[in-house]
Each structure stands twice: as C-alpha cells, then as structure tokens.
Amino acid sequence: MTETHNTVLVTDGLTVIGRPSYVKIISDVSITVRRGEILGLVGESGSGKTTLGLSLLAHCKRATEIVDGSVEVTGKELAHLSEKGVRALRGRVVAYIPQSPASALNPALRLRVQLREALHDTSLSSEQIDRRVREVLREVALPDDDAFLKRYPHQLSGGQQQRVAIAMAFVGRPDVIVLDEPTTGLDVTTQAHVLKTIRTMTRDYGTAGVYISHDMAVVAELADEIAVMYRGEVVERGRTDEVLSLPRHTYTRRLLAAVPLLRTSGHESVEPRGEPLLRVSGLNASHGRLPVLQGVDLSIFPGECVALLGESGSGKTTLSRSVVGLHHQFTGEMFFDGQQQATSSYRRTAEQRRRIQYVFQNPYEALNPRKRVRDQILGPYRHLSGRPEDPDAVVAGALERAALPASYAERFPEQLSGGERQRVCIARAIATRPDLLVCDEITSALDVSVQAEIVALLRNLQEDGMALLFVTHNIALVSNIAERVAILHQGRIVEHGTVGKVMSAPEHEYTRALITDTPDFEHSFAPVEQRIDQNSTDMTSPT
C-alpha cells in the first residue's frame, strides 16, 4: 500500500466549550494520525476523551459547541461542510464505535438490517453487501449465519452487542475510525481477537485509528502513539514505548502507577471456614427454552470477595441476576444466611432485598435520565430501609464512598461521564448497607485511577463485613481484590479455588487460555517506579 504513512487526520487548536457556561471542555488540542496507525487516547473519566472523539466527526453533545480550531479528514475540513455534507462522510470516511452498544443499536431492527444500513456504498449489489456483512462478522468473531442475522440486539450478550457495533463501524472500510472503549464489555479471549482484528484491519485497509481507552495494558499492545488527556488538554504525547517507559508528566505517572498488574504468584489467600453467607447448589438456569447455566455450585462467606470469570455469553450475568432474584427461570437451592431464597425478588421480603444489592454493568441504562442523582439514591433507600432522618447525609455519604463529591447530588445522568455514572450506580447500591454486593463488571467503564479508588472502596467495605460477588473479565483486577475465583465456561464452573491456586497453577485448559490472552502490562514495561526518570521535568502537576 503506497499511502500507508500519509497523514489522514489532523486537528489544530480544537476547542469545545459548554453552553451556556462557556467552560472549556477540550482546549487547544492538536493531533495527527497517519494511515495504518493507531493513536491511543487515554485519561481519566471526564477528561474530555469522548468529547474529542465526537469532535472528529464534527459532532457535539447537547449543550456543547466547537468554537475554535479545525478538523481535517483526508484533506477535507469538516468545519466548512454543511450538516448534509458531514453526514455523507460519517460511516464512509470517518466512523465511530460508541462506548455503550446497547444505546447505539436500534432495538426494533434485526442485525441484518442494521449492518446493511451501515454500508454506504451504493455501487454494491445486494449480494455483495450481504457478503461484506458476513465477512465483517467473521472478523469480529461472531456467527455469520442467517439465524444470527435475524436476531435483535436484546437477544445478544453485552460482549456480542459490542462486537456488532465494531462490525458496523468497519463494514464501510472508513479512512478514520474513532473507537470509544470498544473492548470494555469483552472477556480477555474475545478482546484479544478483536484487538488483533482492529490492528490487522487498520493496517490492511490503511485506516487511521483513534483508540479511546482507560485500559493502559490494551493501549500498550495496540497503539503506535499515545496522547494523555487531563482536564481537556493533551498534557503528554509520544511513541507508545517512550510514554510508557519514561513518562514525563505527573498525571501520566499516576495513571501508570494505578494499573493493576497480572500476578500469577505470591498470593496468600486461603480457603474460608465456617458457614457461608450465600450458598448456591445445583443451579440450572435458562432463557426460555435455551439452557444457560448447568449444575452451578457457588458459596460466598461473610466479608469475602469471590470473583466470577468467564467469556461473553458464558452465563455470568444470568448467575448474578439469579442471586438477586432478577432472573427467576432457575431451579436448584439458594440459601442466604441460612434462609432459602425465592427465585423472584418480588417474592422476597424488603429486608432480604436490602441485604443483597446489585450494580449493573451498563450505567447508561441503569439510571433514570429524568431524575437527579439525589433521587436515584434516595428512591431505593426509602423503599428498602424507610424514610431517612437526614436524606442529605445519606446521599452525601453514599457519594463520598463512591469517590464522588456531594455536589453531584443535583446533577442529571446526562451531565455525567460514563465513569461518573457507574460510580453513582455504586453509591445507590451501597447506600442501603447491604451484606452482599453483586458487582457485574462495575469497573469496566472506569479509568485506572478511579478503578483503583473503587477497589480500595470495596476492600474497605469488606473490612466492614460486606461480601462481594465480583463479576469481571479483568484477570489482573481479580488478583488484586478477590480471595477466591470461579471460572465459568459454557454455563458450567470448570475451575474454582483460591486466587493463589487458580492463578499460579490453573488446571483447566480454558483457565490457562484466559491467563495467556490477558494483556500483561508488567512484562511489557518496567515497574512504574523504574520508569520515572528522576531528572525529567514535570509539566503543571494536577491538584
């Protein structure tokens, strides 16, 4: 390919403000990306990453406006084009993969219709379009048969929805693709395949990629260059190996120090003793006639964190929802604190529901867009624990434990970033002081620095006696928080035990594959304290 190294995306002094506050959301951002290369855009939640990504499509979220700078794609200045002209470029010249696929996919249309609509090439025949659709589905490790194409989005797991969104972006073979946390909901095995697909497709098709992520290990593997954003500004940029091995800015150092490292040895966890708080025995669950879980046994002891690992579609969420009574199509025994639990939450008492709380994977769907944060927290609290004497104290305390300021109580969900929404969901769950917190991928939308704060929060809750069922695909995080781990594969627990035993000497081939596919940040670069050059000069330090 002769144009592989040509610059295809250029921004110069790009500035976006909020309306009517005139506060700068991103300020004087200048980046360039060449064909076949990927720029990793990293930074904490609320730093402006998504706003910048949308600006590359000449699109602004409500109450924001591009007031200065330029965005040039394949030599075309988007600011000079009409809305009709910009729309003609989206999907064909520049494409976008959103963070929340459930919100991006049309629930009323089958997958075949949505994928065909994403292909803007009118020169192709219907048969050629169908072949392209099936090809891109195979590239993201999804079935390409008619049965799958007839499905609706709600019939897919979260990881499958994410891969459909990726396929929709790549089906038009765009010149520039903006990827906003595209592997957030994927297990490590699928993530490894998708990352390889993204890398291969950007190189083979000469696509310039902007990869927005908080996962430093993924960025280290995928990106050619890294731009670090802090408070709307790019505070550090350079080749990936240079930025990660020798970070200059204080904020970059802080991000790298917060990355959870994959540890396969050195664990000291032991098997718990006594009576379990939660005991699940011989659980079989289904969705209609489709069996999902088969013969699952699981126990969680007071103050213990049990991690549940498995690929997308393995049944992790079904098991989690069965525990809290949100999925009632299951048989088997389930005891909590010695009391047998009804299959449906509707048949459980308010006290039983209070003692087991759930944090959902997708904060965009879990929060009511018409209610302030204050009401989102107080509603469940009043329903399960009664009217509080001091509502403000309840809300402020829950927000503080979830690493959010009390002032966020008056905000609506649309005024929050993805990570901030997730922390509101956590605050809502822990406000009732439950004994067991079921965490369904609750850190997947959080940047590493906030993730570290949430992990510290969960550890503090454990010290107070709260037990955790921690559903995740982040194996490195498991080794930092859990005492025991259960590996779920195709609806069955194929391996379980202490984290030390499972991580250091996995017995099942699926567990070994999970560990092998996990991006290993520690082995890619030296420990952060060794990466910091004591003689380097910092830019303005974050406060």
Side-chain angles (χ1 to χ4, degrees):
M1 206 170 194
T2 59
E3 298 182 350
T4 300
H5 299 290
N6 289 350
T7 298
V8 65
L9 170 66
V10 179
T11 73
D12 184 21
L14 189 63
T15 300
V16 177
I17 65 170
R19 293 288 191 184
S21 65
Y22 293 94
V23 172
K24 290 183 179 180
I25 301 175
I26 60 173
S27 178
D28 195 25
V29 172
S30 299
I31 60 174
T32 60
V33 189
R34 293 182 291 272
R35 290 189 181 277
E37 292 194 352
I38 296 175
L39 171 68
L41 192 62
V42 300
E44 64 186 352
S45 176
S47 63
K49 304 188 302 296
T50 296
T51 299
L52 176 57
L54 291 172
S55 299
L56 302 181
L57 288 82
H59 178 74
C60 289
K61 292 187 287 188
R62 192 171 68 175
T64 65
E65 180 183 355
I66 299 175
V67 294
D68 198 10
S70 62
V71 178
E72 186 176 296
V73 178
T74 62
K76 300 181 180 67
E77 172 52 60
L78 300 190
H80 296 160
L81 295 177
S82 64
E83 179 62 26
K84 182 178 180 180
V86 172
R87 286 182 178 179
L89 295 180
R90 292 174 185 158
R92 181 173 57 85
V93 175
V94 55
Y96 183 81
I97 299 175
Q99 182 177 3
S100 175
S103 301
L105 298 176
N106 190 327
L109 296 180
R110 299 183 188 273
L111 300 182
R112 183 194 301 273
V113 176
Q114 298 192 56
L115 285 163
R116 290 176 66 93
E117 283 184 347
L119 189 56
H120 299 276
D121 192 342
T122 56
S123 65
L124 299 178
S125 66
S126 179
E127 292 76 12
Q128 289 174 319
I129 291 175
D130 193 57
R131 283 198 297 269
R132 175 76 66 82
V133 166
R134 295 177 189 273
E135 178 187 5
V136 77
L137 286 175
R138 292 193 296 270
E139 289 173 337
V140 295
L142 285 175
D144 65 342
D145 54 79
D146 290 335
F148 183 80
L149 287 168
K150 289 180 180 178
R151 292 188 186 182
Y152 290 95
H154 74 272
Q155 296 174 307
L156 309 179
S157 69
Q160 290 172 327
Q161 289 177 344
Q162 188 65 279
R163 280 178 279 170
V164 169
I166 293 172
M168 289 177 67
F170 270 109
V171 72
R173 305 289 188 251
D175 296 293
V176 176
I177 188 164
V178 180
L179 307 100
D180 192 354
E181 305 277 10
T183 59
T184 293
L186 305 183
D187 58 88
V188 292
T189 302
T190 305
Q191 174 182 269
H193 182 93
V194 169
L195 291 177
K196 181 179 178 181
T197 299
I198 291 172
R199 166 52 69 192
T200 300
M201 294 175 76
T202 52
R203 287 178 174 171
D204 289 353
Y205 298 107
T207 302
V210 177
Y211 191 93
I212 301 171
S213 181
H214 62 262
D215 192 330
M216 301 297 290
V218 168
V219 171
E221 282 197 357
L222 184 67
D224 300 287
E225 291 189 353
I226 288 180
V228 181
M229 289 197 71
Y230 178 70
R231 293 185 176 178
E233 298 182 357
V234 175
V235 296
E236 185 164 356
R237 182 180 175 182
R239 304 296 300 179
T240 298
D241 55 347
E242 295 174 355
V243 173
L244 298 183
S245 62
L246 194 62
R248 294 181 301 152
H249 195 273
T250 302
Y251 177 66
T252 309
R253 299 180 185 185
R254 194 174 72 190
L255 279 180
L256 298 180
V259 176
L261 301 179
L262 177 63
R263 295 186 293 131
T264 56
S265 61
H267 301 277
E268 299 179 357
S269 52
V270 296
E271 290 285 357
R273 297 179 180 179
E275 292 298 319
L277 179 67
L278 174 73
R279 180 172 63 84
V280 176
S281 179
L283 187 142
N284 297 286
S286 63
H287 287 281
R289 297 181 179 180
L290 178 66
V292 179
L293 298 174
Q294 304 174 56
V296 170
D297 297 331
L298 183 70
S299 61
I300 303 176
F301 290 77
E304 180 191 32
C305 177
V306 174
L308 186 62
L309 281 172
E311 64 187 345
S312 175
S314 63
K316 303 189 301 297
T317 296
T318 299
L319 177 56
S320 302
R321 292 171 65 90
S322 297
V323 169
V324 296
L326 294 178
H327 180 84
H328 62 273
Q329 290 182 320
F330 71 85
T331 59
E333 294 185 340
M334 183 179 298
F335 288 87
F336 185 80
D337 200 13
Q339 295 182 345
Q340 186 165 0
Q341 301 294 292
T343 57
S344 172
S345 63
Y346 291 107
R347 297 203 298 271
R348 298 182 186 180
T349 67
E351 178 63 10
Q352 288 176 328
R353 295 198 300 271
R354 181 198 68 80
R355 298 184 66 187
I356 307 177
Q357 287 294 301
Y358 194 98
V359 183
F360 294 89
Q361 178 179 2
N362 189 344
Y364 290 87
E365 295 183 336
L367 297 177
N368 189 327
R370 296 186 177 183
K371 289 187 176 182
R372 297 183 189 274
V373 168
R374 171 189 176 87
D375 299 322
Q376 311 258 11
I377 295 174
L378 285 178
Y381 184 93
R382 288 169 176 156
H383 182 67
L384 299 175
S385 302
R387 185 175 296 275
E389 294 182 3
D390 190 347
D392 292 338
V394 170
V395 174
L399 290 174
E400 182 180 357
R401 291 195 300 274
L404 285 174
S407 60
Y408 275 47
E410 300 305 318
R411 296 193 180 189
F412 288 95
E414 67 174 9
Q415 297 172 304
L416 306 176
S417 67
E420 289 168 342
R421 294 185 194 208
Q422 189 62 283
R423 280 179 277 170
V424 169
C425 292
I426 295 171
R428 179 176 61 183
I430 64 178
T432 61
R433 304 285 181 174
D435 296 303
L436 173 63
L437 190 64
V438 181
C439 308
D440 189 0
E441 301 278 11
I442 67 171
T443 60
S444 62
L446 305 180
D447 57 85
V448 290
S449 58
V450 177
Q451 178 178 273
E453 295 174 2
I454 295 299
V455 168
L457 159 67
L458 295 178
R459 286 174 178 164
N460 291 335
L461 295 174
Q462 281 183 264
E463 292 176 0
D464 293 337
M466 185 183 296
L468 303 173
L469 176 58
F470 195 83
V471 180
T472 184
H473 61 261
N474 190 333
I475 296 182
L477 197 60
V478 167
S479 62
N480 284 270
I481 189 174
E483 287 79 47
R484 289 190 297 133
V485 59
I487 310 297
L488 192 62
H489 179 53
Q490 295 182 349
R492 299 178 182 272
I493 292 181
V494 296
E495 188 165 358
H496 64 87
T498 64
V499 172
K501 176 184 176 183
V502 174
M503 299 297 289
S504 60
E507 297 178 357
H508 198 275
E509 59 180 357
Y510 178 69
T511 309
R512 292 193 291 268
L514 285 178
I515 296 175
T516 300
D517 290 334
T518 300
D520 194 347
F521 187 80
E522 183 177 24
H523 290 155
S524 299
F525 299 92
V528 68
E529 60 269 14
Q530 298 179 19
R531 291 187 247 121
I532 299 175
D533 183 354
Q534 301 299 331
N535 297 322
S536 65
T537 302
D538 290 339
M539 299 170 66
T540 304
S541 299
T543 56

